[in-house]
Amino acid sequence: MQKKNMIRNIVSSILLLALVGITSCSKTQSYSELLRDEEEAVNWFLAQKNVALEIPSDYKDFVSVETMGEDAPFYKLDADGYVYMQVVKADFSEMVDEGDLVYFRFNRENISYLYQGIESTISGNGDYLANGATSFIYKNTYLSSTTTWGTGIQMPLTYMGYNSEVNLVLRSYYGFTDEQSTCVPYIINLKYFKPEY
């Protein structure tokens, strides 16, 4: 009798552990589900915006927020549609070369929260000088001080120079490296500055 009770308890424990395992798995999302949710949020955001799938052949022909207001288009910057750029202010007087140091200030907001109707906060160092300076070496893929910011924030500098300002829709693939696995897209405002020596 005791042996039957012991076996019953062991079987019950195994079933309980299996049930807990199944339940805990159902509460977490797979990476592919996170990517799908990220894509839905970005598509929702861009559906409310003017989107341009091609970049002007003459970069000085970018339509900007300065000239057109909030209806200025978001230009698709990569073939996969992971980065879209809205030009706020373009400056072509001093372009950035590979290896140049670029300081930047940014504010960003979680697009997934906006999509879900969740109140989100704006984070970054754009409004608070006390938050410190951020910088990268343009087109450097080795220094952690540069790669930590991802490659997406460097893309606008292919088309414009220092003292430019853009809004980027930035999917996690090109985003900050420590957040890439969370699949959170951001709308990020960036201002680029030349270092003063």
Side-chain angles (χ1 to χ4, degrees):
M1 188 76 160
Q2 272 187 330
K3 195 172 190 179
K4 280 186 178 181
N5 283 340
M6 191 168 87
I7 292 172
R8 191 178 304 144
N9 287 341
I10 291 172
V11 169
S12 295
S13 296
I14 291 171
L15 289 173
L16 182 62
L17 286 173
L19 183 61
V20 168
I22 291 169
T23 304
S24 66
C25 286
S26 67
K27 291 182 181 179
T28 60
Q29 290 183 291
S30 69
Y31 185 66
S32 61
E33 290 171 324
L34 291 171
L35 286 173
R36 185 198 65 231
D37 290 350
E38 179 183 38
E39 184 175 8
E40 284 179 14
V42 168
N43 289 344
W44 166 83
F45 183 85
L46 290 174
Q48 304 170 62
K49 306 296 181 186
N50 181 8
V51 174
L53 298 179
E54 293 186 16
I55 293 181
S57 55
D58 183 347
Y59 304 148
K60 293 183 180 180
D61 290 337
F62 275 118
V63 176
S64 70
V65 172
E66 277 189 331
T67 59
M68 190 174 178
E70 293 302 316
D71 288 333
F74 278 83
Y75 295 94
K76 182 179 175 183
L77 292 188
D78 70 305
D80 296 316
Y82 287 175
V83 183
Y84 288 82
M85 171 184 72
Q86 182 185 50
V87 178
V88 177
K89 177 186 139 212
D91 191 313
F92 305 100
S93 60
E94 189 167 1
M95 299 301 283
V96 180
D97 293 320
E98 184 172 345
D100 285 351
L101 177 63
V102 179
Y103 281 97
F104 69 97
R105 293 213 163 269
F106 73 97
N107 283 328
R108 65 185 186 155
E109 194 168 6
N110 183 323
I111 293 175
S112 291
Y113 282 174
L114 297 173
Y115 175 57
Q116 296 170 38
I118 299 171
E119 185 176 337
S120 66
T121 58
I122 295 173
S123 61
N125 65 357
D127 296 328
Y128 306 103
L129 297 178
N131 284 354
T134 44
S135 64
F136 57 82
I137 305 294
Y138 183 52
K139 293 191 176 181
N140 181 292
T141 58
Y142 302 105
L143 291 174
S144 62
S145 59
T146 291
T147 58
T148 192
W149 304 110
T151 56
I153 66 167
Q154 295 188 31
M155 289 182 179
L157 297 176
T158 302
Y159 311 104
M160 60 196 70
Y162 290 110
N163 301 314
S164 295
E165 179 181 355
V166 298
N167 293 320
L168 288 184
V169 171
L170 187 62
R171 287 183 59 178
S172 60
Y173 183 80
Y174 288 112
F176 297 4
T177 54
D178 62 346
E179 299 172 346
Q180 288 176 347
S181 63
T182 60
C183 302
V184 176
Y186 286 94
I187 176 71
I188 180 169
N189 173 265
L190 288 155
K191 298 173 186 171
Y192 302 102
F193 303 99
K194 184 175 182 179
E196 295 180 9
Y197 298 107

